[in-house]
Amino acid sequence: MTTVQNAEVSGRRVAVRWQEGGAAEFPFLWLRDNCRCPQCRHPGNGQRLLDTLDIPDDIAPKAVAARGDAVEIGWSDGHDSRYAADWLKAHELSPQARARRQLHHRLWGNEIANDLPRADWNELERSPEAERAFLARYHEFGFGLVDNVPVRSGMVVEAGNRFGHVRVTNYGAYFDVKSIPNPNNLAYTSVGLGVHTDNPYRDPSPGIQLLHCLEADAPGGDSILVDGFKVAEDLRREDPAAFERLSRLPQHFHFWDKNADLEADQRVIHTDHEGHIRNVHFNNRSAAPIDLPLEEVEGWYAAYRRFARLLRRPEGELRFRLAPGQLLMFQNDRVLHGRDGFDPNQGRRHLQGCYIDQDGILSRWRVLEREGAKVPA
Amino acid sequence: MTTVQNAEVSGRRVAVRWQEGGAAEFPFLWLRDNCRCPQCRHPGNGQRLLDTLDIPDDIAPKAVAARGDAVEIGWSDGHDSRYAADWLKAHELSPQARARRQLHHRLWGNEIANDLPRADWNELERSPEAERAFLARYHEFGFGLVDNVPVRSGMVVEAGNRFGHVRVTNYGAYFDVKSIPNPNNLAYTSVGLGVHTDNPYRDPSPGIQLLHCLEADAPGGDSILVDGFKVAEDLRREDPAAFERLSRLPQHFHFWDKNADLEADQRVIHTDHEGHIRNVHFNNRSAAPIDLPLEEVEGWYAAYRRFARLLRRPEGELRFRLAPGQLLMFQNDRVLHGRDGFDPNQGRRHLQGCYIDQDGILSRWRVLEREGAKVPA
């Protein structure tokens, strides 16, 4: 529990000193806008009732008081606010506090081959704590493997709706990955596929992919995963100019068949305003002619080819063979996936896949963390 | 039909002069990478077979020939390519050619009140040409109104799956917008709602919203639409520094109830690398404490409040009253929507809503354009 030692006005901010050491500043407008009282936020659903625009431009405290477990402020607009010390501490705006709030990604290469984020389907069904622990690891690594998922057609949709909400596309609620004649997509052949992210030609592109193995006795067809965030960080270190280009200039993607015609622009590396990598898109098969100012084209190609080469480094490739009953779930805009070619004349290889989005699975994880994810007695 | 007058090497590019006047340049790597032959692209599904990485760094033409309706190139890697003149013309990289390929948005205020993008459901069902024309107008304005949609519960999902694919969320496949006791969301009360975009706390946030009116005899409850792209352009002109901040710094959003806990960062105005506005997010109700470097907070608030004031200009507000059987479809990340309060004691107001995404509806439009959208005889 945090304790307030002192709170006072400093310029257009309130400066707070903590008993435990350290201090923080909060701008007047930010404080008034985030008043926690039931007039400013609906007590039942937490939604805001106060409109930011209704706060006067010159809002300022008339009185500031440190109350140990809270700071109390009487405002120039006549409103009184009370901010719990713990809440203020959790929302500090210093670089250190802000960094602590970032979702932590563990970047990986094939050194994790013997310690994959992994769970058993029956255990997940039985234990909220097992699911919470699995989802925590999943979010850290960007993928997870689930064993003993019932081997039946359509099960991948059930799994998708367990973790989030299945996103239906022109491929349907799920798709069969197996070798067929005259496919509309090279995925539905037996050729090897270099590592890629799925559907960059779709806006929004799928956040998460699930692949459920139903049959796998054809020789070949091993799965390959590469951590796109790790390789993007390698690129940033080894060739900052290439990183800058790929995070600024979009690539164009296109897919069409009889019933669909999908086009979108995506940056290969997408960073936020502070340079954190948010997602990665990479797909040779559906790349369309890039549509950039003429003078940017050669630089973009050099950067792209540099990144593509880094993606092929063997130490970044996690290779394994999916067995029937295994389900692989991965963040499609972080972890690239591919496969070796296989021989469809000597056996079968049949996966079913579907897409879900970040919102549902993050929400499920947060709810489990929030509820303490108690194992039922 | 385009005709090639002349084609020759110029530095690391091929320079092409058109019979009709004008010229264009194409970089070697771009040309080799976009070879249209059946070895480089799968003739059936158009997917790339050539891997960009397999092209040598020093790729160059050994021979370039103008053939009237095409340019033929013999490459240093031994491959021969043929580029149709029409294809080259369509992919020119000059600023003018690139601007022509942008999707055209018509920015609007309430001057369009008597000329809304509008269609009749039965006409859409009967005529692909009517649907093509409606979708063209929909994409230009960012919204459209459909009359005579059958008044029955769940119909909004049928409409959503006609134009695209319904995105299921924690609210289900569709949601009822009516006044209920103890709602988890202020939308499910009778209070007025300022204009906003839906679900900015969701990643990805919904691209498109459909609202289908089932009952509307309560006094009040008029709908309000505002073109967020128009107002963002106003802001760029009137206060470029505010525009710059809102297009660089993200806002934080949060929604939670018993079963869900959704958080996301969104920039209020999202622009691409050339400054074109791509989407807008604005939602007072679900705004969480912003999480920015301390020194950015006051500047962000000033910019946000400036934008919020512009959104309230009466000349930007399109107001109308939805009648039973009308369906409003709008680009959720462009067009803000709101409603006046209504009196639930004097009548009913019941809408059903659902979300779809950009990919499906753009695809449907492109397929209709591609097929010529012939009206059946």
Side-chain angles (χ1 to χ4, degrees):
Chain A
M1 223 192 87
T2 314
T3 309
V4 178
Q5 187 176 72
N6 182 52
E8 61 187 15
V9 165
S10 163
R12 294 279 301 159
R13 299 174 183 168
V14 172
V16 179
R17 184 166 300 281
W18 313 113
Q19 195 92 59
E20 301 74 17
E25 291 189 22
F26 302 95
F28 292 166
L29 198 50
W30 186 95
L31 280 169
R32 178 66 191 88
D33 196 36
N34 288 301
C35 176
R36 319 306 295 160
C37 86
Q39 271 177 279
C40 292
R41 287 205 171 245
H42 194 285
N45 57 38
Q47 294 202 309
R48 293 168 54 92
L49 299 167
L50 170 67
D51 192 312
T52 299
L53 259 198
D54 293 339
I55 305 172
D57 281 326
D58 59 355
I59 188 77
K62 287 192 302 185
V64 176
R67 295 282 183 233
D69 64 345
V71 172
E72 289 177 6
I73 299 179
W75 293 103
S76 56
D77 65 357
H79 192 76
D80 291 319
S81 299
R82 184 175 196 281
Y83 305 90
D86 285 340
W87 185 90
L88 283 172
K89 184 80 186 166
H91 291 84
E92 275 190 74
L93 297 169
S94 66
Q96 300 80 351
R98 298 188 60 244
R100 275 195 303 273
R101 287 194 291 266
Q102 287 281 325
L103 194 59
H104 173 68
H105 298 126
R106 184 163 142 197
L107 305 181
W108 50 264
N110 64 12
E111 76 283 356
I112 64 162
N114 295 317
D115 185 27
L116 303 182
R118 195 159 184 168
D120 182 278
W121 178 260
N122 301 308
E123 188 68 11
L124 293 180
E125 290 278 271
R126 198 165 44 229
S127 156
E129 168 53 24
E131 182 168 0
R132 187 206 58 74
F134 172 67
L135 291 181
R137 292 257 292 169
Y138 163 83
H139 281 107
E140 207 177 335
F141 289 85
F143 77 100
L145 197 60
V146 185
D147 296 300
N148 296 317
V149 178
V151 178
R152 62 166 184 267
S153 180
M155 183 63 206
V156 73
V157 172
E158 224 173 285
N161 283 329
R162 177 198 173 78
F163 293 116
H165 310 284
V166 167
R167 170 123 65 100
V168 176
T169 70
N170 53 305
Y171 301 120
Y174 69 93
F175 42 90
D176 285 284
V177 186
K178 59 182 176 183
S179 182
I180 58 168
N182 304 319
N184 68 345
N185 194 306
L186 292 177
Y188 310 148
T189 66
S190 61
V191 304
L193 297 175
V195 294
H196 62 279
T197 64
D198 263 28
N199 293 18
Y201 44 75
R202 186 183 299 290
D203 173 23
S205 75
I208 295 162
Q209 182 167 176
L210 284 79
L211 285 172
H212 180 214
C213 181
L214 296 177
E215 292 179 287
D217 51 30
D222 282 9
S223 295
I224 309 161
L225 295 182
V226 171
D227 184 356
F229 284 11
K230 163 75 164 64
V231 179
E233 289 294 0
D234 290 345
L235 182 71
R236 168 145 57 186
R237 204 175 44 248
E238 296 175 26
D239 191 342
F243 182 91
E244 187 278 330
R245 284 192 193 112
L246 295 186
S247 62
R248 176 169 53 88
L249 302 169
Q251 187 176 9
H252 195 66
F253 295 94
H254 193 185
F255 171 89
W256 72 97
D257 65 9
K258 204 163 59 70
N259 304 310
D261 200 324
L262 295 155
E263 278 188 69
D265 284 329
Q266 307 278 2
R267 281 170 285 182
V268 173
I269 299 171
H270 182 97
T271 59
D272 69 13
H273 69 115
E274 296 177 295
H276 302 112
I277 296 168
R278 290 301 185 200
N279 50 60
V280 165
H281 295 101
F282 187 88
N283 191 313
N284 182 73
R285 260 179 303 148
S286 58
I290 56 167
D291 185 2
L292 293 176
L294 189 53
E295 62 279 11
E296 300 272 21
V297 172
E298 277 120 338
W300 182 87
Y301 264 108
Y304 179 78
R305 285 152 63 89
R306 180 84 192 242
F307 185 55
R309 276 190 200 103
L310 295 188
L311 285 169
R312 290 194 186 175
R313 282 184 179 164
E315 63 269 30
E317 290 184 349
L318 196 59
R319 304 180 83 94
F320 52 90
R321 190 179 169 78
L322 282 177
Q326 286 191 314
L327 179 135
L328 178 64
M329 175 164 76
F330 53 95
Q331 210 176 315
N332 180 55
D333 54 7
R334 168 178 174 183
V335 174
L336 293 82
H337 67 292
R339 69 158 186 242
D340 290 333
F342 59 95
D343 184 347
N345 299 315
Q346 291 192 48
R348 294 161 174 277
R349 183 181 188 272
H350 184 192
L351 310 181
Q352 288 185 330
C354 73
Y355 302 121
I356 64 176
D357 283 303
Q358 288 292 99
D359 58 350
I361 196 167
L362 274 168
S363 171
R364 187 166 175 93
W365 181 38
R366 282 197 204 96
V367 169
L368 284 168
E369 294 278 352
R370 193 178 74 184
E371 309 294 332
K374 293 284 182 296
V375 185
Chain B
M1 223 192 86
T2 315
T3 309
V4 178
Q5 186 176 73
N6 182 51
E8 61 187 15
V9 165
S10 163
R12 295 279 300 159
R13 299 174 183 168
V14 172
V16 178
R17 184 166 300 282
W18 313 114
Q19 195 92 60
E20 300 75 17
E25 292 189 21
F26 302 94
F28 292 166
L29 199 49
W30 186 95
L31 280 169
R32 178 66 191 87
D33 196 37
N34 288 301
C35 176
R36 319 306 295 161
C37 86
Q39 271 177 279
C40 292
R41 288 207 170 243
H42 194 285
N45 57 38
Q47 294 201 309
R48 293 168 54 92
L49 299 167
L50 170 66
D51 191 312
T52 299
L53 259 197
D54 293 340
I55 305 171
D57 281 326
D58 59 355
I59 189 78
K62 287 193 301 187
V64 176
R67 296 281 183 235
D69 64 345
V71 172
E72 289 177 4
I73 300 180
W75 292 103
S76 55
D77 65 357
H79 192 76
D80 291 320
S81 299
R82 184 175 198 280
Y83 305 90
D86 285 340
W87 185 90
L88 284 173
K89 184 81 187 165
H91 291 84
E92 275 190 75
L93 297 169
S94 66
Q96 300 79 351
R98 298 188 60 244
R100 275 196 302 273
R101 287 193 291 266
Q102 288 281 325
L103 193 59
H104 173 68
H105 298 125
R106 183 163 143 198
L107 306 181
W108 50 264
N110 63 13
E111 76 283 356
I112 64 163
N114 295 319
D115 184 26
L116 303 182
R118 196 160 184 167
D120 182 279
W121 178 259
N122 301 309
E123 188 68 12
L124 294 180
E125 290 277 271
R126 197 165 46 229
S127 156
E129 168 54 24
E131 182 168 0
R132 188 206 57 74
F134 172 66
L135 291 180
R137 292 256 292 169
Y138 163 82
H139 281 107
E140 207 177 335
F141 289 85
F143 77 100
L145 197 60
V146 185
D147 296 300
N148 296 317
V149 178
V151 178
R152 62 166 184 268
S153 180
M155 183 63 206
V156 73
V157 171
E158 223 173 285
N161 283 329
R162 178 199 171 78
F163 293 115
H165 310 284
V166 167
R167 169 123 65 100
V168 176
T169 70
N170 53 305
Y171 301 120
Y174 69 92
F175 42 91
D176 285 283
V177 186
K178 58 182 176 183
S179 183
I180 58 168
N182 304 317
N184 68 345
N185 194 306
L186 292 177
Y188 310 148
T189 65
S190 61
V191 304
L193 297 175
V195 294
H196 62 279
T197 64
D198 262 28
N199 294 17
Y201 44 75
R202 186 184 300 288
D203 173 23
S205 75
I208 295 162
Q209 182 167 175
L210 284 79
L211 285 172
H212 180 213
C213 182
L214 296 176
E215 292 178 287
D217 52 30
D222 281 9
S223 295
I224 309 161
L225 295 182
V226 171
D227 184 356
F229 284 11
K230 163 75 164 63
V231 179
E233 289 294 0
D234 290 345
L235 182 71
R236 168 145 56 187
R237 203 175 45 248
E238 297 175 26
D239 191 342
F243 182 91
E244 187 278 330
R245 284 192 193 113
L246 295 185
S247 62
R248 176 170 52 89
L249 302 169
Q251 187 176 10
H252 195 67
F253 295 94
H254 193 185
F255 171 89
W256 72 97
D257 64 9
K258 204 162 60 70
N259 304 311
D261 200 324
L262 295 155
E263 279 188 69
D265 285 329
Q266 307 278 2
R267 280 170 284 182
V268 173
I269 299 171
H270 182 97
T271 59
D272 69 13
H273 69 115
E274 296 177 296
H276 302 113
I277 296 168
R278 290 301 184 199
N279 50 60
V280 164
H281 295 101
F282 188 88
N283 191 313
N284 182 72
R285 261 178 303 147
S286 58
I290 56 167
D291 185 2
L292 293 176
L294 189 53
E295 62 278 12
E296 300 272 21
V297 172
E298 277 120 339
W300 183 87
Y301 265 109
Y304 179 78
R305 284 152 63 88
R306 180 83 191 243
F307 185 57
R309 277 189 200 103
L310 295 188
L311 285 170
R312 291 194 186 174
R313 282 183 179 164
E315 63 270 30
E317 291 183 349
L318 196 58
R319 305 180 82 94
F320 52 91
R321 190 180 170 79
L322 282 177
Q326 286 191 313
L327 179 136
L328 178 64
M329 175 164 75
F330 53 95
Q331 210 177 315
N332 180 54
D333 54 8
R334 168 178 173 182
V335 174
L336 293 82
H337 67 292
R339 69 158 186 242
D340 291 333
F342 58 94
D343 184 347
N345 299 314
Q346 291 191 48
R348 293 161 174 278
R349 183 180 189 272
H350 184 191
L351 310 182
Q352 288 185 330
C354 73
Y355 302 120
I356 64 175
D357 283 303
Q358 288 292 100
D359 58 350
I361 196 166
L362 275 168
S363 172
R364 187 167 176 93
W365 181 38
R366 282 197 203 94
V367 169
L368 284 168
E369 293 279 353
R370 193 178 74 185
E371 308 295 331
K374 294 284 183 298
V375 185

